[in-house]
Amino acid sequence: MGDDGTNRTGEGDSATLTVVVPHAGRPVRERADAARNRERVLDAARRLYRERDPRTVTMEDIAAAAGVGRATLYRRYRDPAAVAVALLDEHDRSLQEQLISGPPPLGPGAAPADRLAAFYAAMLDLLDEHLPLALSGETGAARFRTGAYEFWRLHVRVLLRAAGVPDPEPLVDILLAPLAPELYQHQRRHGLDRRQIAAALDRLARALLPEPGRRDAQ
C-alpha cells in the first residue's frame, strides 16, 4: 500500500491502481421497495437533466416526475447535485475499471504519457455524452468532494510518479483542471470541438510526461 492510499503492482511505468475509491452510489443492500424508488428517481432525473437546463431542476421537480414523496427523495439525496452524481456514478465506475484492469493505453501496460492521454480522451467522451449531469453535480467546489474526483487524483498521481516527475503532488489537480465540466462547456460554446480539445490535452500529457529516453536527453 502506497502512502497515497493505493496498492501498486510492478515498477516504473507499470505502476497501477488496484483499489477503487468508494463514492456516491447505491447502498450495498436495500429493500425491494427502496430499490424501485431509487430507479424511479434516477430515471426521472435522467429525463429532466436531458430535457432542461440542469441548473433549473429542483428536488420538487424530481420527486414529481418520479412519483415519489419529497421525504422519500430527501432520505436518499440531499439536493439535485447529489442525484446527478449518483447518475454519473455508473459511468465513472466503468471508467475506473478500465483504468485498473482494461487494455492499454487506458489500462496498465502503456507508458505514463500514453495512459494520461488516453485518460483525457476517455474523460472527454464522458463529458461529451453526460455534460448536463456533470454540470449539475460536479462544478465548482462540489467537484472536489466527489469520490470519483479522488479516484482521478490517485490515478494521475500514480502516472506522474511512474514517469519520474519530481514533486508530482502540485501537478495532480492542475492536470485535472482542464476536465472541469464548466470549462469544457465554455470551450465548446466558443467553437472548439471535442477533437481539438483532445489534441490539446494529448500534447499536454506528452509534454509533462515524456518518454524515458526523451527525459534522459533533456
Side-chain angles (χ1 to χ4, degrees):
M1 181 75 73
D3 60 5
D4 57 4
T6 65
N7 290 328
R8 295 187 181 86
T9 59
E11 298 292 338
D13 289 349
S14 63
T16 60
L17 292 171
T18 58
V19 294
V20 175
V21 177
H23 52 112
R26 68 188 62 182
V28 175
R29 295 180 181 178
E30 59 185 340
R31 300 189 316 272
D33 59 336
R36 286 192 297 271
N37 283 338
R38 172 174 52 77
E39 291 302 329
R40 290 167 65 182
V41 165
L42 295 181
D43 286 344
R46 190 178 292 110
R47 279 197 315 275
L48 289 171
Y49 288 133
R50 188 169 53 241
E51 296 167 357
R52 292 170 44 180
D53 182 338
R55 293 169 297 185
T56 69
V57 175
T58 66
M59 292 293 272
E60 288 73 17
D61 294 333
I62 296 171
V68 301
R70 284 184 294 177
T72 297
L73 182 60
Y74 276 106
R75 273 197 296 271
R76 185 179 290 270
Y77 305 107
R78 68 181 180 276
D79 54 30
V83 180
V85 169
L87 285 169
L88 285 169
D89 185 73
E90 59 190 84
H91 307 293
D92 290 336
R93 287 187 184 277
S94 175
L95 179 52
Q96 289 172 10
E97 291 169 3
Q98 293 178 67
L99 293 172
I100 293 170
S101 58
L106 194 56
D114 293 332
R115 295 198 68 196
L116 181 58
F119 169 66
Y120 276 144
M123 288 296 290
L124 289 183
D125 286 341
L126 277 180
L127 285 173
D128 215 41
E129 186 173 356
H130 305 292
L131 187 58
L133 290 177
L135 287 169
S136 181
E138 297 185 349
T139 57
R143 179 173 180 241
F144 307 124
R145 293 193 294 267
T146 65
Y149 187 80
E150 284 304 307
F151 187 95
W152 312 142
R153 291 189 83 253
L154 288 172
H155 180 63
V156 170
R157 184 187 296 117
V158 167
L159 294 182
L160 289 169
R161 288 179 173 172
V165 174
D167 192 20
E169 192 61 31
L171 277 174
V172 174
D173 293 303
I174 292 172
L175 289 175
L176 289 169
L179 299 173
E182 58 266 51
L183 175 59
Y184 185 71
Q185 181 187 52
H186 170 79
Q187 290 178 305
R188 294 302 303 271
R189 284 180 171 175
H190 282 74
L192 295 176
D193 60 31
R194 185 209 166 280
R195 178 189 56 79
Q196 291 173 292
I197 299 169
L201 292 179
D202 187 281
R203 292 196 299 273
L204 175 63
R206 298 182 192 286
L208 286 174
L209 281 71
E211 296 296 329
R214 287 180 54 206
R215 184 172 63 241
D216 295 341
Q218 289 176 349

